[in-house]
Amino acid sequence: MGRWGWRLFEGDQDLDVVLSISDDDTLGITTGQWEYSLSAMVHQSDMLAPPEAAAVYRTAEYAHQLANVIVPYIRQKLDTNNLGERMFAACRAKESDPDDLFQEAKYRTIMIGALMMRAGARINAADLQHLRDLVPQINCTSRRTLFDDHGFRSPGRAQFLAALDHYQPGVARSFQEPSCFKCGKIEEDIGRKPLQCKKCKVATYCGKDCQRDQWREHRVSCVPPGHSRVLNV
């Protein structure tokens, strides 16, 4: 259904890339039959999901399962026999395709990096630097778009850069909890939950400085709940 949020894994594009990474034909790497797939870490239930489905993701039981079973399981899979690094290398090898007009291969590498940080899997220094170098090459927009859903929305880019800044092997990085739309930081980074925009109830900020600095960008989409004329952002 397109994109229903501004951050990573809040759109069909991102989730489709995650599913493609798990497909043996995409990277030429066999992952086998995993009990939990990569997408299990980043469900990001969209606005059309049945209420009962969305409610499951808000339960304490699900949070415990995600943090203590699903994420450690996938981390172990990615770290075994350097699977994560091999998947990363396979993605990088496809980035030079001259026919890739929408930077799909480069964005796939971004998604691999995000998934590895989500799991807390090992990422070597060269790959971390490559991810930083890729970010300015990826299309990024701060406005709603009906057709061209390629690359980052600006809060997602900030979220990704903050994850890189705070990356630690063995420490899972959440992309689901609220993050600052300007600097990308989450509660773990600032010691408290980001504050919600009082008008739209969507954007979140670590403080007034970030909210003020992003206002020119945010104001075009800052409408009260139920008043938006467009579903996709």
Side-chain angles (χ1 to χ4, degrees):
M1 100 124 252
R3 178 168 286 276
W4 56 87
W6 297 93
R7 304 180 312 142
L8 293 182
F9 307 111
E10 292 180 346
D12 289 346
Q13 174 200 222
D14 291 2
L15 299 185
D16 286 346
V17 173
V18 173
L19 293 174
S20 76
I21 290 170
S22 303
D23 185 347
D24 295 345
D25 293 335
T26 300
L27 298 181
I29 295 176
T30 301
T31 58
Q33 297 299 316
W34 289 12
E35 183 176 357
Y36 301 105
S37 66
L38 292 169
S39 62
M41 297 189 297
V42 290
H43 60 83
Q44 300 294 68
S45 182
D46 70 40
M47 64 175 68
L48 294 184
E52 58 272 20
V56 170
Y57 296 130
R58 295 193 292 268
T59 64
E61 292 80 6
Y62 171 75
H64 182 273
Q65 177 81 354
L66 181 64
N68 296 285
V69 179
I70 297 175
V71 168
Y73 172 89
I74 295 175
R75 180 192 308 142
Q76 187 270 333
K77 288 289 188 181
L78 292 173
D79 284 347
T80 299
N81 296 324
N82 295 320
L83 175 63
E85 289 191 15
R86 289 189 287 116
M87 295 175 75
F88 196 96
C91 279
R92 290 187 63 170
K94 296 177 179 291
E95 290 176 14
S96 58
D97 182 357
D99 296 325
D100 189 6
L101 301 179
F102 297 114
Q103 305 167 316
E104 293 179 2
K106 291 181 178 179
Y107 195 69
R108 188 188 301 122
T109 304
I110 290 286
M111 289 289 100
I112 276 282
L115 289 167
M116 291 178 70
M117 288 188 287
R118 176 66 188 101
R122 291 192 303 267
I123 307 176
N124 64 48
D127 288 341
L128 283 171
Q129 185 58 51
H130 183 68
L131 289 170
R132 289 189 181 281
D133 294 340
L134 275 186
V135 170
Q137 301 177 46
I138 302 298
N139 179 61
C140 181
T141 180
S142 61
R143 295 177 179 270
R144 290 185 172 91
T145 174
L146 291 177
F147 303 108
D148 297 326
D149 189 20
H150 304 289
F152 291 117
R153 295 297 181 270
S154 48
R157 179 175 61 184
Q159 186 187 24
F160 184 77
L161 288 170
L164 284 174
D165 288 341
H166 293 86
Y167 167 73
Q168 297 181 58
V171 179
R173 178 77 179 187
S174 175
F175 289 99
Q176 291 169 255
E177 63 181 87
S179 59
C180 178
F181 269 38
K182 176 63 179 178
C183 71
K185 293 179 180 177
I186 59 177
E187 180 179 0
E188 184 178 341
D189 304 328
I190 62 178
R192 55 175 171 75
K193 290 184 177 181
L195 304 174
Q196 191 178 66
C197 174
K198 293 182 179 179
K199 182 178 180 181
C200 69
K201 311 295 185 184
V202 173
T204 50
Y205 297 96
C206 63
K208 292 183 178 179
D209 288 345
C210 277
Q211 185 174 22
R212 182 179 59 250
D213 290 347
Q214 213 231 0
W215 173 243
R216 180 177 295 181
E217 219 175 77
H218 175 58
R219 64 182 177 183
V220 296
S221 60
C222 187
V223 295
H227 285 65
S228 176
R229 296 181 180 181
V230 184
L231 289 180
N232 285 6
V233 301

